[in-house]
Amino acid sequence: MPKHMNGVRGGSTKRRDIKSDENRDQELRSANSVDLSYRSTEGPRNPAAVLASSNGALQRLAGIAQYFESSFNQDIDELEGAYRTEMDRDNEIRRLSQTLETLTYAKSEELENLRHENRELKAGQEDCDQERKRCQMMQAELEAHHAKAEADREEEHKRKLQDEKAKIKKQMKVLKAEFEAESQEKVQELENQNGKLSATNERLNQRLSAVEEKLEAKKTRHARVEKSLEDDNKRLIVELKQVNVEKFRHISDAVKAVSSKYFQKLPERAMVNPEAVHQELSKLNAVFDSTPIWQTEISEFLRLRDVQHVISTCLYDFIWQPFFPLDTLPNPDVVGRFLQAVSESLSASGGRNESAWRVLTLRGIDDLSVESSAVESAVHQILEILRPLTIPSESAEFEKDLVDIIKQSITLWKVARKDEARFIVENYPDPSDKENWHAEDIHILREASMPPDETIDTTGLKPLCLFPNILYISPRDETVIVHEGTTLLPTSYVWIQGMLEKKQHEEELTKAVLDARSKVNARRTSFATGPNSPTGGRFSMAQTSLGLDR
């Protein structure tokens, strides 16, 4: 709009300019017309002269045209632009008018359709209203019919109930009469049976009295027999204890005798080089660590007890086990622990289940095992450990006596393990249990005991089992000591004295080595300052070597 308004104001200004230009053109035309009229009055002329005379007019016309073109070009463009704008508006108005006409026509058609649908809906609503009225009438008829049918059914049900009640009452009367008659018959029959039972009960009471008298007499006899059996059982337990005590004592004495017979004296190798023998024994069995290998009373006492410990431990490990022998079975340790757990579980349940199971299990183990393998294993173990202390000339005789002890142990244990009672072998001494364990010690004067300023630490040392403790547990859970175990305690006089002797020997040995080294160093110093002869040098080195060996 501002452009258009500016264009209009600009157009008025241009109109004034155009009017002034038109006035000048009129003046020129009037001049030219005068000139032409003048020339026309002159008469015919030459064309060339005519053209020459009109050249000036033509040039003025050309100048006028150029001026007109340069002066009105912008106004013409503005007029064309305004015209195009007006044309565009007219086109837009015509397009909007057509669109309005189209929308008006569509709206009229849509209104006509809506009016038609409204008429159809009104007609359908009227039909629905008529159908609803008809349905309401039918529902009222159905409800009335249903109420009538329900009343008829209720009436029929009441009639049937009355008929059923009458029938049941009639049947109850009949059943009651039958039951009363049957009850009277049963009562009469029961009375007859009661009479018979009373007579039978009387006879049974008489017989029961006789049976009770006989039972009382049998109880008295049984009590006498049970007391006699109990006395016999106690006597047999005492006798069995005495028998087993003698047998186990015989084995214990045999172990002591074999130890004293073959190991009281030291072999020649042990007397020549006791330290080497002691080291070899310590590697074979740690029990020899605190035992000196010398020809002294203390050393001999400890050495014999170590030998007894080795033999007794092998008897315990290879023979005196609850389910001996298991060496032919796979994983004997695992199987032995499992069988022992089963035995303890059955013993806890009471009765004779454990003894019966144990006898059958041992019978099967005996069928699978070989006695000679257990003998060979035990003998080989003992001989291997005691080999450094065995005199070679007595080795065969010692092995023979050892086999006899092991066979006696096997024979005794095969009988004991199948007894109704259980035999328990304890191989780990309890220093506080003086009832089941006897502690041994050397019997000499105490004047030659430990020096007053010497102390020996026995912490961590375990007691030494010389022979196991044998217990007998009866089926009534009564415990009897069959054989008292023997032990050597770390706090005993002989043990401490042996450790003192070993300590003293080690100190003397260390002192001898230091003296030998000092002598060697002195000789080396004298050789460095004295004559250096080859013969003297070799002799001196030989002496030095001998001193070090000593």
Side-chain angles (χ1 to χ4, degrees):
M1 289 298 293
K3 280 185 177 182
H4 181 70
M5 295 298 294
N6 291 335
V8 172
R9 286 194 293 269
S12 61
T13 305
K14 291 294 182 179
R15 287 191 190 97
R16 288 193 297 269
D17 296 337
I18 291 169
K19 286 181 179 180
S20 61
D21 291 339
E22 288 178 352
N23 293 326
R24 280 198 302 277
D25 290 341
Q26 288 178 0
E27 292 177 356
L28 291 174
R29 282 195 299 268
S30 61
N32 291 331
S33 62
V34 172
D35 188 29
L36 289 174
S37 61
Y38 173 73
R39 289 175 180 173
S40 61
T41 57
E42 289 182 355
R45 299 175 68 184
N46 187 13
V50 173
L51 288 174
S53 61
S54 62
N55 185 20
L58 291 173
Q59 287 179 353
R60 284 193 298 272
L61 288 174
I64 292 169
Q66 289 177 356
Y67 175 76
F68 183 82
E69 183 178 1
S70 60
S71 299
F72 294 96
N73 190 19
Q74 185 176 358
D75 294 336
I76 292 170
D77 291 339
E78 290 178 359
L79 290 174
E80 289 178 353
Y83 179 75
R84 282 196 298 272
T85 301
E86 293 297 329
M87 291 297 293
D88 291 338
R89 286 180 181 177
D90 293 339
N91 293 332
E92 183 67 18
I93 291 170
R94 283 194 297 273
R95 186 180 63 79
L96 291 175
S97 299
Q98 292 176 358
T99 303
L100 181 62
E101 291 176 358
T102 303
L103 291 175
T104 303
Y105 179 75
K107 183 178 180 180
S108 61
E109 287 186 351
E110 186 176 357
L111 289 174
E112 185 64 27
N113 292 332
L114 288 175
R115 291 189 190 95
H116 179 71
E117 290 177 0
N118 191 15
R119 288 192 295 272
E120 291 180 352
L121 287 174
K122 286 183 179 180
Q125 186 176 4
E126 292 176 357
D127 295 339
C128 289
D129 292 339
Q130 294 178 1
E131 185 68 22
R132 185 172 61 255
K133 291 179 181 179
R134 188 172 61 82
C135 290
Q136 289 176 354
M137 294 175 62
M138 291 177 65
Q139 183 178 2
E141 292 177 358
L142 288 174
E143 288 177 355
H145 180 72
H146 179 71
K148 182 179 180 182
E150 189 68 24
D152 295 341
R153 186 165 56 253
E154 186 69 21
E155 187 69 23
E156 182 68 18
H157 181 65
K158 289 181 180 179
R159 185 181 61 76
K160 288 183 179 180
L161 284 177
Q162 291 177 357
D163 295 343
E164 193 69 23
K165 285 181 180 179
K167 188 185 294 184
I168 290 172
K169 287 181 180 179
K170 184 177 179 181
Q171 289 178 355
M172 287 181 63
K173 288 181 180 179
V174 173
L175 291 173
K176 184 177 180 181
E178 292 178 354
F179 178 74
E180 289 177 353
E182 186 176 357
S183 298
Q184 290 177 358
E185 292 177 358
K186 287 186 177 181
V187 167
Q188 186 64 33
E189 184 179 355
L190 289 174
E191 288 178 353
N192 296 333
Q193 290 180 0
N194 191 18
K196 294 179 181 179
L197 290 174
S198 298
T200 304
N201 192 22
E202 185 66 25
R203 291 194 301 271
L204 290 176
N205 287 332
Q206 294 175 359
R207 291 175 62 183
L208 181 61
S209 299
V211 169
E212 287 179 351
E213 292 176 359
K214 291 180 180 179
L215 182 61
E216 190 65 29
K218 286 184 179 181
K219 283 182 178 180
T220 305
R221 269 197 320 274
H222 179 71
R224 290 197 299 269
V225 171
E226 187 176 3
K227 187 175 183 304
S228 176
L229 289 174
E230 186 175 357
D231 295 338
D232 292 340
N233 189 25
K234 290 181 179 179
R235 180 176 54 80
L236 289 173
I237 290 175
V238 173
E239 291 177 358
L240 179 62
K241 176 186 175 183
Q242 292 176 354
V243 171
N244 291 325
V245 165
E246 292 299 326
K247 291 181 179 179
F248 280 109
R249 183 180 298 165
H250 176 71
I251 295 174
S252 177
D253 294 340
V255 171
K256 292 180 181 178
V258 166
S259 301
S260 300
K261 181 179 179 181
Y262 296 104
F263 298 98
Q264 192 169 9
K265 296 180 182 180
L266 288 173
E268 183 178 357
R269 177 170 172 265
M271 290 188 291
V272 173
N273 195 355
E275 288 299 326
V277 173
H278 183 265
Q279 291 179 3
E280 187 176 358
L281 285 171
S282 298
K283 290 180 180 179
L284 292 172
N285 196 317
V287 73
F288 293 99
D289 287 345
S290 59
T291 303
I293 308 300
W294 302 316
Q295 292 181 348
T296 63
E297 187 177 4
I298 298 295
S299 176
E300 179 184 332
F301 185 91
L302 292 173
R303 182 172 65 253
L304 295 180
R305 270 58 187 178
D306 290 345
V307 172
Q308 293 178 30
H309 170 76
V310 170
I311 297 174
S312 299
T313 301
C314 287
L315 292 178
Y316 173 81
D317 291 339
F318 290 95
I319 299 170
W320 290 339
Q321 294 296 321
F323 296 93
F324 161 83
L326 294 173
D327 52 346
T328 57
L329 300 178
N331 298 323
D333 295 336
V334 178
V335 175
R337 288 195 296 269
F338 171 73
L339 295 177
Q340 183 64 23
V342 175
S343 175
E344 292 174 358
S345 177
L346 293 175
S347 298
S349 64
R352 298 185 177 181
N353 295 331
E354 191 277 336
S355 60
W357 171 82
R358 176 161 40 87
V359 170
L360 294 175
T361 302
L362 291 171
R363 187 182 300 171
I365 292 175
D366 291 340
D367 294 338
L368 296 174
S369 303
V370 180
E371 180 179 327
S372 60
S373 64
V375 176
E376 292 174 359
S377 300
V379 170
H380 178 268
Q381 183 76 4
I382 296 171
L383 292 177
E384 180 64 23
I385 296 174
L386 300 178
R387 176 177 47 78
L389 292 176
T390 306
I391 299 174
S393 61
E394 297 176 351
S395 179
E397 188 177 356
F398 170 59
E399 183 177 357
K400 180 177 177 300
D401 292 344
L402 198 59
V403 169
D404 291 339
I405 293 174
I406 292 174
K407 286 185 176 181
Q408 291 176 16
S409 302
I410 291 175
T411 303
L412 173 60
W413 190 246
K414 279 190 172 182
V415 175
R417 65 181 184 157
K418 292 183 180 179
D419 192 271
E420 184 178 7
R422 289 185 298 154
F423 282 83
I424 305 299
V425 181
E426 295 180 346
N427 197 43
Y428 300 98
D430 184 4
S432 62
D433 187 3
K434 297 182 179 180
E435 182 181 357
N436 294 332
W437 292 94
H438 169 68
E440 290 191 357
D441 204 348
I442 193 168
H443 300 288
I444 62 175
L445 295 175
R446 293 299 180 99
E447 286 81 4
S449 63
M450 298 175 290
D453 58 343
E454 291 286 348
T455 57
I456 297 297
D457 185 13
T458 59
T459 305
L461 297 177
K462 295 182 179 180
L464 198 65
C465 178
L466 306 181
F467 195 83
N469 178 41
I470 314 297
L471 301 177
Y472 174 88
I473 302 178
S474 66
R476 297 182 180 181
D477 207 18
E478 298 173 351
T479 302
V480 180
I481 301 175
V482 176
H483 185 276
E484 184 184 37
T486 54
T487 180
L488 184 64
L489 301 178
T491 56
S492 63
Y493 167 78
V494 65
W495 194 312
I496 295 176
Q497 193 65 28
M499 294 178 70
L500 281 173
E501 287 186 5
K502 183 181 177 185
K503 181 180 179 182
Q504 184 179 0
H505 175 71
E506 291 175 351
E507 291 175 353
E508 291 176 355
L509 183 61
T510 304
K511 183 179 180 182
V513 172
L514 293 175
D515 292 342
R517 288 179 179 176
S518 62
K519 290 179 181 180
V520 170
N521 293 330
R523 289 174 184 174
R524 287 177 180 174
T525 304
S526 64
F527 291 155
T529 57
N532 189 11
S533 72
T535 306
R538 285 195 298 272
F539 179 71
S540 299
M541 291 302 292
Q543 287 180 342
T544 303
S545 300
L546 290 173
L548 288 174
D549 292 338
R550 292 193 188 95

